[in-house]
Amino acid sequence: MKYIETISIPVDEIDDTNRLRPLSQSWVDAIAESIAKIGQKEPIEVIRQKKGKPYKLIAGGHRLAGCRKAGVDARAEVKELETDAPGLEAELHEIDENLIRNELNPLDRAVFIGRRQKIYETMYPASKRGGDQGNQYTGGKKRQNEIISFSQNTANAIDLGERTIQRATRIYQGLSNKIRARLAGTHLADREGELYNLTRFAPDDQVKILDLCLKDVDPLPSVKAAGDVINGHTPKKQSAADADFEKLYETWKRCASKKGRTRFLGSLKEMGVIPSFNEEQL
């Protein structure tokens, strides 16, 4: 995507419909207050369009909404698309902008990465060739090769490790639209490990597990505990140490960027908790 210029644009001249990510009103309010006090710090990104409004938003939905609420024009970088698939290129740019900012919970990140893979495979169909299909739950050579190829491409485009991308891809592929919709806004949406464990179960069992984990009274504490119940096993009571471990592990998983993990391990090294670490494995 080619940079053209940075200009000020009236907000009513920018089309921000059909966005992938819904706006958080509290975030919009905070940005509007900041813009009113100190101005717009970061520009939005737009492209020119021939039909409808003069500009189409491709990055910065919350910033644009903040400008609109503050009653000011938006400072925008005007970009030019460079491929023969402008719609896909613009959507890919929007996805990458959200992923780079690393403000998504694990479920939303999986949805964005899953959509990115579909766009990637449409734009580069050769990435889907070769191998056997496998099945929906265990995968197969072809599916694994596709995920690896895609994760390498995505890791080069954004600041996420390949393993994080592979796990997010597995979550997206292993959970149906209905299951993902049911998970949205729940505590499980913020726990990558739980989402990943849920993909290990067949669709009918996933529904039963969510029934047990999301019920109003005495919900089960984890996907594993619910899986044990539907398989006829008595769930074991989680110890305090296990609960602490899960919290620490989920915190580590939420720190999805390689830079964030490197910084965290670097602090542990400085404190003498660990002697060293291999940054290439993050």
Side-chain angles (χ1 to χ4, degrees):
M1 192 168 289
K2 182 180 177 182
Y3 169 79
I4 302 298
E5 61 181 342
T6 300
I7 60 176
S8 180
I9 305 175
V11 293
D12 59 2
E13 293 184 5
I14 302 172
D15 177 7
D16 61 346
T17 58
N18 301 319
R19 303 289 291 166
L20 290 173
R21 186 185 184 190
L23 296 179
S24 165
Q25 189 56 51
S26 61
W27 194 359
V28 170
D29 293 343
I31 291 176
E33 183 177 354
S34 174
I35 289 173
K37 289 180 179 178
I38 62 175
Q40 182 185 346
K41 296 176 65 177
E42 294 185 46
I44 62 173
E45 297 179 33
V46 300
I47 56 174
R48 291 189 174 95
Q49 58 181 9
K50 296 180 180 179
K51 296 181 179 180
K53 295 183 178 182
Y55 299 93
K56 174 69 176 178
L57 180 71
I58 57 173
H62 284 89
R63 279 165 279 162
L64 176 59
C67 289
R68 184 177 289 119
K69 181 170 183 179
V72 299
D73 293 348
R75 185 164 61 92
E77 290 185 354
V78 180
K79 301 290 184 72
E80 182 177 84
L81 301 176
E82 298 181 285
T83 72
D84 56 0
L88 293 178
E89 184 184 353
E91 187 176 354
L92 188 65
H93 189 80
E94 178 190 348
I95 289 171
D96 286 353
E97 194 260 354
N98 277 280
L99 290 172
I100 288 170
R101 289 181 174 276
N102 197 26
E103 296 163 343
L104 305 172
N105 65 30
L107 179 64
D108 289 339
R109 184 168 64 236
V111 171
F112 271 71
I113 287 178
R115 178 57 186 161
R116 189 184 199 279
Q117 184 178 28
K118 290 184 177 180
I119 295 173
Y120 173 77
E121 291 174 350
T122 300
M123 298 178 71
Y124 308 102
S127 65
K128 296 188 67 175
R129 296 174 184 166
D132 62 282
Q133 281 286 356
N135 64 61
Q136 185 176 358
Y137 307 111
T138 62
K141 184 177 180 181
K142 177 178 179 180
R143 172 163 294 203
Q144 294 305 313
N145 286 344
E146 288 175 10
I147 291 175
I148 292 171
S149 172
F150 166 71
S151 65
Q152 291 170 345
N153 172 273
T154 304
N156 290 332
I158 58 179
D159 185 27
L160 284 177
E162 287 185 31
R163 187 168 181 272
T164 298
I165 296 166
Q166 290 170 11
R167 287 175 67 88
T169 303
R170 167 68 181 264
I171 290 169
Y172 180 82
Q173 293 179 347
L175 302 177
S176 68
N177 289 337
K178 289 184 178 181
I179 290 293
R180 291 197 300 268
R182 190 173 176 190
L183 284 163
T186 71
H187 67 284
L188 294 177
D190 296 321
R191 303 177 66 181
E192 188 210 42
E194 293 288 75
L195 298 173
Y196 190 82
N197 287 340
L198 191 59
T199 67
R200 300 177 184 275
F201 295 87
D204 289 345
D205 288 339
Q206 291 175 4
V207 173
K208 296 175 184 176
I209 287 171
L210 293 189
D211 288 342
L212 293 171
C213 289
L214 301 179
K215 60 182 181 177
D216 294 333
V217 180
D218 295 329
L220 291 185
S222 68
V223 168
K224 182 181 183 305
D228 287 341
V229 169
I230 67 173
N231 287 322
H233 305 299
T234 302
K236 295 180 180 179
K237 186 175 181 180
Q238 188 179 46
S239 68
D242 287 340
D244 288 342
F245 171 79
E246 283 196 8
K247 290 178 183 178
L248 288 171
Y249 185 73
E250 291 300 329
T251 300
W252 168 261
K253 285 302 176 184
R254 283 197 296 272
C255 183
S257 71
K258 186 175 181 180
K259 290 181 181 178
R261 293 183 179 186
T262 300
R263 183 176 177 182
F264 176 75
L265 291 178
S267 67
L268 293 182
K269 182 180 177 182
E270 290 178 1
M271 291 186 292
V273 177
I274 58 175
S276 62
F277 63 93
N278 186 348
E279 186 174 340
E280 296 302 319
Q281 294 181 346
L282 299 180

